[in-house]
């Protein structure tokens, strides 16, 4: 049975292909591997400039649990460890290791961990971590960290939906590597100990669906088709669709005994655990109206230029977007490297953007929000920077999917407003926290001074009383002595 979450939008792949394929990209002449990943601390290089490295060799390590190690994706020479522009909307530079290829692609040989069915959960999680695996659907969250928390997991969900229209890399991967995907899911099942696994796949991916069915002989694994509708791949919406369970904004899926993993991550886990191959390549979709769309398996760290050239771009000026057409980010240069989270590159001819008009209160945006927000209302509050009101209208639940943008006849970039309002609210909250902290510090200081004053006064009173008591005691003593002396004198006088 097909379930569906509320709202969302149906968007056809703008650049469909007759046959979904994976083309092996040639080895790049050099790779640039960023040490800063999506979250966590920057990894520390364990090689130096001039070192010879083999493919799969560890080149940067970390002790931060939100970060993963980095491996050489080609064999060759380390020629630089310096700041390079990374594919990020900030356009900023970050520390990277650059390796120049020796053209041999010689792999490092490591100890194979053996049959995963006989490995403990801890050994398998360690293997996932040491292989540098992160969520390959675009989130980039370190997989071992998520699996580590999956202790009371009842349901494992494998997200085999493409996160956005136009992206085909997961579809291609399932068609080409269905056996490997199923085995990767079985490794995950062993780690999580879930009672059941659901592989969720959109109903427009019949070839991939059939391929998975053919290789799945595990009765704990079910392959479920869901309607092809943007944003069905968003984790909480997918859980709602499959299990009819709502995960509140401040909770995680694991709080309800659910673990979600992307289908490409499952394949990477197969590569690591069964094939002893760390994460050094990934499948990337290159699409858009300026290229011939296709999927390429490419080494991490190869430039966007290296892979875009394979999709035969036309000679017109281009706009390049990393990630999907909806939630991706524009990149200014093709010189940036492919990272673990680069699932898609859109290359489009430069076109004039439609001009933004006033809101005509048509309410169309309210009909499509997959998390049941009121974008029109949020827009007014975001525009007037009234973040308090916007938060009362659940701005924090907005997943910035841009469904509302797509239907807006006035072409208002609503999601951009919401992203800005969220950032503003974060800043205001931080400032408020700072002021609160300063106020509390001041109040505590005042309290401390007052308390000291009272304590000092109490101490003075105590000392005064003690002195008074002592003086009274002394006086009694003195009187007694005077009386005794008088008695002695009297006795002496009477004796004489
Ligand atoms: S961007 Fe936010 S408000 Fe707009 S449809 Fe998506 S979740 Fe709803
Ligand atoms: S869709 Fe655009 S024009 Fe219509 S109500 Fe929403 S913001 Fe206003």
């Amino acid at each position: 049975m097909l379930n569906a979450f509320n709202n969302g939008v149906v968007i056809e792949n703008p650049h469909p292909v007759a046959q979904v394929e994976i083309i092996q990209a040639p080895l790049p002449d050099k790779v640039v591997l960023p040490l800063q990943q999506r979250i966590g601390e920057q990894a520390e290089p364990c090689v130096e400039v001039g070192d010879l490295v083999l493919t799969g060799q560890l080149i940067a390590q970390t002790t931060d649990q939100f970060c993963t190690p980095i491996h050489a994706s080609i064999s060759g020479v380390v020629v630089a460890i310096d700041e390079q522009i990374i594919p990020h909307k900030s356009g900023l530079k970050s520390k990277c290791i650059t390796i120049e290829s020796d053209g041999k692609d010689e792999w490092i040989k490591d100890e194979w961990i053996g049959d995963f069915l006989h490995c403990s959960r801890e050994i398998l999680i360690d293997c996932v971590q040491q292989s540098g695996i992160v969520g390959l659907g675009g989130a980039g969250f370190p997989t071992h960290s998520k699996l580590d928390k999956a202790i009371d997991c009842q349901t494992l969900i494998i997200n085999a939906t493409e996160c956005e229209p136009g992206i085909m890399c997961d579809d291609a991967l399932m068609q080409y590597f269905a056996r490997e995907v199923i085995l990767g899911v079985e490794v995950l099942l062993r780690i999580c100990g879930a009672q059941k696994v659901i592989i969720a796949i959109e109903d427009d991916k019949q070839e991939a669906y059939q391929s998975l069915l053919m290789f799945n002989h595990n009765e704990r694994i079910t392959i479920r088709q869901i309607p092809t509708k943007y944003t069905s791949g968003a984790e909480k919406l997918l859980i709602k669709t499959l299990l009819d369970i709502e995960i509140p904004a401040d909770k995680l899926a694991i709080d309800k005994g659910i673990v979600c993993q992307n289908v490409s991550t499952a394949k990477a886990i197969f590569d690591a655990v069964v094939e002893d191959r760390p994460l050094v390549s990934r499948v990337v979709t290159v699409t858009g109206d300026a290229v011939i769309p296709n999927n390429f398996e490419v080494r991490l760290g190869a430039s966007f230029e290296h892979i875009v050239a394979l999709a035969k771009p036309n000679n017109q000026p281009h706009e390049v977007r990393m990630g999907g057409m909806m939630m991706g980010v524009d990149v200014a240069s093709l010189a940036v490297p492919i990272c673990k989270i680069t699932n898609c590159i859109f290359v489009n001819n430069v076109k004039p953007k439609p001009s933004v008009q006033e809101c005509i209160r048509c309410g169309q945006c309210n009909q499509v929000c997959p998390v049941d927000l009121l974008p029109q209302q949020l827009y007014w509050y975001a525009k007037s920077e009234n973040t308090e009101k916007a938060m009362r209208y659940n701005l924090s639940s907005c997943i910035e999917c841009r469904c509302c943008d797509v239907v807006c006849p006035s072409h208002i970039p609503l999601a951009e407003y919401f992203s800005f309002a969220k950032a503003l609210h974060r800043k205001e909250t931080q400032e408020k926290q700072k002021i609160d902290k300063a106020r509390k510090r001041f109040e505590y200081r005042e309290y401390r001074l007052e308390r000291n004053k009272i304590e000092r006064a109490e101490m003075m009173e105590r000392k005064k009383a003690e002195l008074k008591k002592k003086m009274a005691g002394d006086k009694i003593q003195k009187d007694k002595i005077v009386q005794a002396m008088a008695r002695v004198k009297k006795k002496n006088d009477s004796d004489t």
Side-chain angles (χ1 to χ4, degrees), residues 315-480:
N315 293 326
Q316 294 172 37
H318 301 146
E319 297 173 323
V320 181
R321 198 169 169 82
M322 179 183 74
M325 58 191 234
M326 303 292 280
M327 294 171 78
V329 291
D330 295 329
V331 290
S333 157
L334 285 178
V336 291
I338 305 276
C339 299
K340 294 178 182 179
I341 57 166
T342 314
N343 54 359
C344 182
I345 303 171
F346 263 86
V347 188
N348 286 316
N349 298 317
V350 176
K351 287 184 272 304
K353 303 248 181 304
S355 59
V356 176
Q357 308 291 322
E358 283 297 308
C359 170
I360 54 169
R361 299 174 191 266
C362 65
Q364 287 191 52
C365 51
N366 298 339
Q367 311 296 316
V368 295
C369 178
V371 283
D372 294 327
L373 301 179
L374 296 170
Q376 181 194 353
Q377 205 68 34
L378 284 174
Y379 166 60
W380 293 113
Y381 294 132
K383 197 177 174 193
S384 58
E385 300 189 5
N386 188 345
T387 57
E388 211 172 292
K389 267 277 177 60
M391 292 308 280
R392 259 187 257 153
Y393 275 78
N394 286 329
L395 174 69
S396 58
S397 298
C398 169
I399 56 172
E400 295 173 35
C401 63
R402 291 191 56 234
C403 285
C404 48
D405 286 25
V406 168
V407 296
C408 177
S410 299
H411 307 295
I412 301 170
L414 293 162
E416 258 176 50
Y417 273 101
F418 304 152
S419 172
F420 171 79
K422 277 198 253 180
L424 185 63
H425 181 257
R426 263 196 306 276
K427 197 166 157 246
E428 286 171 350
T429 309
Q430 279 165 2
E431 269 164 19
K432 192 169 170 291
Q433 280 169 348
K434 239 195 262 169
I435 292 169
D436 278 355
K437 216 166 147 189
R439 185 178 46 79
K440 275 193 188 136
R441 243 196 338 254
F442 174 75
E443 283 173 0
Y444 181 65
R445 186 174 171 276
E446 291 290 291
Y447 163 79
R448 203 159 37 82
L449 290 177
E450 187 57 33
R451 186 73 235 147
N452 285 351
K453 214 161 110 189
I454 292 170
E455 278 175 5
R456 211 172 307 120
E458 283 172 354
M459 196 179 69
M460 292 303 287
E461 281 301 310
R462 238 184 357 257
K463 277 197 174 159
K464 234 196 246 165
E466 276 168 15
L467 193 66
K468 213 167 156 187
K469 198 172 158 195
K470 190 169 175 292
M471 280 166 69
D474 288 353
K475 187 169 180 305
I476 293 171
Q477 202 63 23
K478 216 167 151 188
D479 289 351
K480 275 185 186 166

Side-chain angles (χ1 to χ4, degrees), residues 158 207 241-242 404-405:
I158 302 296
E207 289 82 0
T241 303
L242 297 170
C404 48
D405 286 25

Side-chain angles (χ1 to χ4, degrees), residues 172-333:
L173 185 110
M174 287 186 279
Q175 292 190 42
Y176 273 63
F177 299 108
R179 173 184 156 271
E180 289 81 355
V181 166
I182 295 291
L183 279 170
V185 173
E186 288 189 341
V187 177
L188 278 167
L189 186 52
R190 176 144 184 85
I191 294 173
C192 298
Q195 286 139 23
K196 60 176 179 182
V197 183
I198 305 172
I199 303 180
I201 183 166
E202 287 156 319
D203 57 0
D204 67 342
K205 297 175 179 49
Q206 286 306 319
E207 289 82 0
Y209 174 61
Q210 294 302 332
S211 305
L212 292 179
L213 279 181
M214 197 160 75
F215 285 99
N216 179 30
H217 307 297
N218 189 328
E219 57 190 27
R220 282 160 76 191
I221 303 177
T222 315
I223 303 163
R224 284 260 300 271
Q225 288 184 293
I226 59 167
T228 307
K229 194 179 182 191
Y230 180 70
T231 59
S232 60
E235 185 172 292
K236 290 184 179 178
L237 294 176
L238 188 60
I239 292 170
K240 170 87 180 127
T241 303
L242 297 170
L243 305 171
D244 201 19
I245 293 175
E246 300 258 7
I247 310 286
D250 59 343
K251 294 278 179 224
L252 299 172
I254 191 58
D255 297 330
K256 299 271 182 187
I258 303 161
V259 170
C260 287
Q261 288 291 335
N262 171 266
V263 71
S264 292
T265 313
K267 160 71 167 55
I269 288 174
F270 165 86
D271 290 341
V273 172
V274 182
E275 301 278 297
D276 186 27
R277 195 184 134 109
L279 186 60
V280 295
S281 66
R282 67 157 300 144
V283 181
V284 180
T285 300
V286 181
T287 187
D289 55 19
V291 291
I292 301 171
N294 223 320
N295 301 292
F296 301 92
E297 175 148 25
V298 64
R299 294 295 167 92
L300 299 177
S303 68
F304 276 33
E305 196 169 19
H306 176 73
I307 184 171
V308 168
L310 302 171
K312 301 185 171 54
N314 62 24
N315 293 326
Q316 294 172 37
H318 301 146
E319 297 173 323
V320 181
R321 198 169 169 82
M322 179 183 74
M325 58 191 234
M326 303 292 280
M327 294 171 78
V329 291
D330 295 329
V331 290
S333 157

